């Protein structure tokens, strides 16, 4: 910093003000300082800065199974929002979700001196593990348990499933079958709840859900089963990847979509509009989830209220495409 000040012909305090975007610096002076920084290749020592300010400008993220579209997109949205707010991100990705693993991940990030932590907690076991939080570090959960003691940001899974089911009922289908996600996932539970609520409100029969595990292979197996069943005309699938497998099974069985069976997915993955046929689905705004989670975390960091229990719910968006149609009488 002293070298930059000498080259620019200013004090080191002025260099500091430029680096911290202080408004009380003339444009001419700011330009001169930035030119000197570029000339010397100056980079701030973040470790030294953290020792002085007691802030690392780094946020921790604990995530699970980022091979799936939902968790991966959630982490990406969080990272983009953090960078926009001027923070770096340190990510710990866990293979298995248990209390010890989550505790170790939180402890590791606390030892790194992060200013706050976002935990992507889509499974009930992860939500329960948040009971072991580091003292004094703000934490926000994404897709976590709304009954817990941590602030939570989530997409309204129940509403998304209701929109999907009501769309199919509105097309004249007597009932809607459901290929569900794994039972320990909070998102899967919410989608089952919304599907059942919509059928119940319409006074329709509620079939037993068909089990899936989020993978195209499980959707394929569900499609093979449903293709052989009489009376199935509409299926709500808990994610687009399982819907892809289901469509493959239907095609192999000679089941016309949407002529004989209409199909709705969930997530609106980038490939869904290129499925055959293009998939009607429910879109989750992962960018909004990232922004809201970082906003909540920064609010806790500024106020020191690391024990707050705020709840922010992001509304889903319904995307109608060619995989659904009116019932042919």
């Amino acid at each position: 910093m002293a070298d930059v000040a000498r080259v620019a012909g200013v004090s080191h305090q002025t260099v500091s003000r430029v680096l911290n975007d202080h408004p009380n610096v003339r444009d001419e002076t700011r330009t001169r300082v930035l030119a000197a920084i570029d000339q010397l290749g100056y980079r701030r020592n973040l470790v030294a800065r953290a020792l002085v300010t007691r802030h690392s400008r780094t946020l921790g993220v604990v995530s699970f199974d980022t091979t799936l579209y939902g968790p991966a997109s959630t982490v990406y949205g969080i990272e983009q929002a953090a960078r926009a707010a001027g923070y770096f991100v340190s990510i710990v990705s866990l293979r298995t979700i248990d209390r010890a693993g989550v505790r170790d991940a939180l402890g590791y990030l606390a030892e790194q001196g992060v200013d706050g932590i976002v935990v992507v907690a889509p499974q009930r076991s992860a939500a329960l593990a948040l009971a072991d939080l580091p003292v004094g570090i703000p934490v926000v959960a994404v897709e976590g348990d709304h009954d817990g003691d941590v602030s939570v940001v989530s997409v309204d899974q129940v509403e998304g499933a209701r929109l999907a089911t009501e769309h199919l009922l509105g097309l004249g289908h007597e009932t809607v079958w459901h290929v569900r996600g794994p039972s320990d996932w909070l998102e899967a539970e919410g989608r089952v709840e919304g599907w059942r609520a919509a059928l119940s409100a319409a006074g329709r029969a509620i079939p037993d859900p068909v089990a899936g595990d989020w993978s195209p292979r499980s959707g394929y197996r569900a499609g093979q089963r449903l293709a052989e069943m009489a009376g199935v005309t509409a299926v709500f699938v808990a994610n687009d990847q399982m819907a892809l497998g289901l469509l493959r099974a239907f095609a192999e069985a000679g089941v016309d979509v949407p002529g004989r069976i209409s199909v709705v997915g969930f997530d609106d993955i980038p490939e869904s509009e290129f499925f055959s046929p293009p998939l009607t689905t429910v879109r989750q705004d992962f960018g909004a989830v990232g922004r809201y989670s970082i906003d909540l975390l920064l609010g806790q960091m500024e106020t020191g209220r690391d024990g707050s229990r705020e709840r922010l719910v992001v509304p889903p968006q319904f995307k109608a495409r060619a995989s659904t149609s009116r019932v042919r009488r």
Side-chain angles (χ1 to χ4, degrees), residues 7-26:
V7 171
V10 298
S11 68
H12 73 274
Q13 290 92 340
T14 298
V15 176
S16 177
R17 284 195 288 269
V18 171
L19 290 171
N20 290 288
D21 293 323
H22 197 283
N24 295 333
V25 179
R26 289 187 301 173

Side-chain angles (χ1 to χ4, degrees), residues 187-312:
E187 294 165 315
E189 291 179 9
R191 293 169 200 177
V192 169
E193 181 183 344
W195 162 73
R196 281 182 172 149
L199 290 179
S200 179
R204 306 298 176 86
I206 303 176
D208 291 333
V210 180
D213 62 9
W214 298 134
S215 71
R217 184 176 298 278
S218 69
Y220 178 78
R221 293 196 190 101
Q224 289 178 313
R225 174 181 170 188
L226 291 168
E228 296 176 351
M229 298 173 62
V232 176
T233 65
V235 182
F236 163 46
V237 189
N239 78 337
D240 290 352
Q241 290 170 313
M242 290 195 297
L244 175 62
L246 180 112
L247 290 174
R248 167 72 181 273
F250 282 174
E252 291 180 354
V255 174
D256 179 49
V257 176
R260 178 182 153 190
I261 301 179
S262 288
V263 177
V264 177
F266 206 108
D267 278 341
D268 193 25
I269 64 176
E271 299 83 2
S272 62
E273 63 178 312
F274 302 102
F275 286 5
S276 181
L279 183 65
T280 296
T281 188
V282 177
R283 180 175 183 270
Q284 302 194 78
D285 191 343
F286 295 109
V289 170
R291 291 191 300 273
Y292 290 164
S293 62
I294 294 301
D295 286 347
L296 271 184
L297 194 61
L298 294 181
Q300 291 184 27
M301 289 159 51
E302 290 170 2
T303 61
R305 294 172 55 234
D306 56 296
S308 61
R309 295 180 67 253
E310 298 181 72
R311 303 290 181 262
L312 287 179

Side-chain angles (χ1 to χ4, degrees), residues 14-306:
T14 298
V15 176
S16 177
R17 284 195 288 269
V18 171
L19 290 171
N20 290 288
D21 293 323
H22 197 283
N24 295 333
V25 179
R26 289 187 301 173
D27 290 342
E28 177 186 352
T29 303
R30 187 183 302 276
T31 299
R32 200 161 67 245
V33 170
L34 292 175
I37 288 173
D38 186 58
Q39 175 185 337
L40 296 172
Y42 171 74
R43 295 292 183 271
R44 283 184 288 184
N45 187 323
L46 296 180
V47 174
R49 186 172 185 268
L51 289 173
V52 173
T53 65
R54 295 190 179 182
H55 293 290
S56 64
R57 303 298 295 181
T58 300
L59 303 177
V61 176
V62 180
S63 66
F64 311 95
D65 200 352
T66 50
T67 60
L68 292 171
Y69 176 76
S73 299
T74 300
V75 170
Y76 180 76
I78 292 168
E79 185 175 13
Q80 293 302 302
R83 288 186 177 276
Y87 285 82
F88 294 99
V89 172
S90 178
I91 301 174
V92 178
S93 183
L94 300 179
R95 286 187 177 182
T96 59
I97 301 176
D98 55 48
R99 197 158 189 163
V102 175
R103 183 178 62 246
D104 290 345
L106 293 171
Y108 170 80
L109 290 170
E111 290 173 0
Q112 300 307 305
V114 298
D115 296 330
I117 299 174
V118 178
V119 182
V120 183
Q123 293 175 272
R124 188 163 297 282
S125 54
L128 293 173
L130 293 180
D132 297 323
L133 293 176
V135 177
I137 297 182
V139 175
V140 170
V142 173
E143 299 299 345
D145 187 353
H146 282 250
D147 295 327
D149 294 326
V150 180
S151 292
V152 176
V153 178
S154 64
V155 175
D156 193 337
Q157 308 294 332
V158 175
E159 175 65 8
R162 186 188 65 77
L163 290 172
T165 307
E166 289 183 350
H167 169 75
L168 291 166
L169 294 177
L171 294 175
H173 297 279
E174 289 299 319
T175 190
V176 177
W177 289 76
H178 180 47
V179 180
R180 63 161 299 153
S183 58
D184 60 330
W185 283 67
L186 296 166
E187 294 165 315
E189 291 179 9
R191 293 169 200 177
V192 169
E193 181 183 344
W195 162 73
R196 281 182 172 149
L199 290 179
S200 179
R204 306 298 176 86
I206 303 176
D208 291 333
V210 180
D213 62 9
W214 298 134
S215 71
R217 184 176 298 278
S218 69
Y220 178 78
R221 293 196 190 101
Q224 289 178 313
R225 174 181 170 188
L226 291 168
E228 296 176 351
M229 298 173 62
V232 176
T233 65
V235 182
F236 163 46
V237 189
N239 78 337
D240 290 352
Q241 290 170 313
M242 290 195 297
L244 175 62
L246 180 112
L247 290 174
R248 167 72 181 273
F250 282 174
E252 291 180 354
V255 174
D256 179 49
V257 176
R260 178 182 153 190
I261 301 179
S262 288
V263 177
V264 177
F266 206 108
D267 278 341
D268 193 25
I269 64 176
E271 299 83 2
S272 62
E273 63 178 312
F274 302 102
F275 286 5
S276 181
L279 183 65
T280 296
T281 188
V282 177
R283 180 175 183 270
Q284 302 194 78
D285 191 343
F286 295 109
V289 170
R291 291 191 300 273
Y292 290 164
S293 62
I294 294 301
D295 286 347
L296 271 184
L297 194 61
L298 294 181
Q300 291 184 27
M301 289 159 51
E302 290 170 2
T303 61
R305 294 172 55 234
D306 56 296

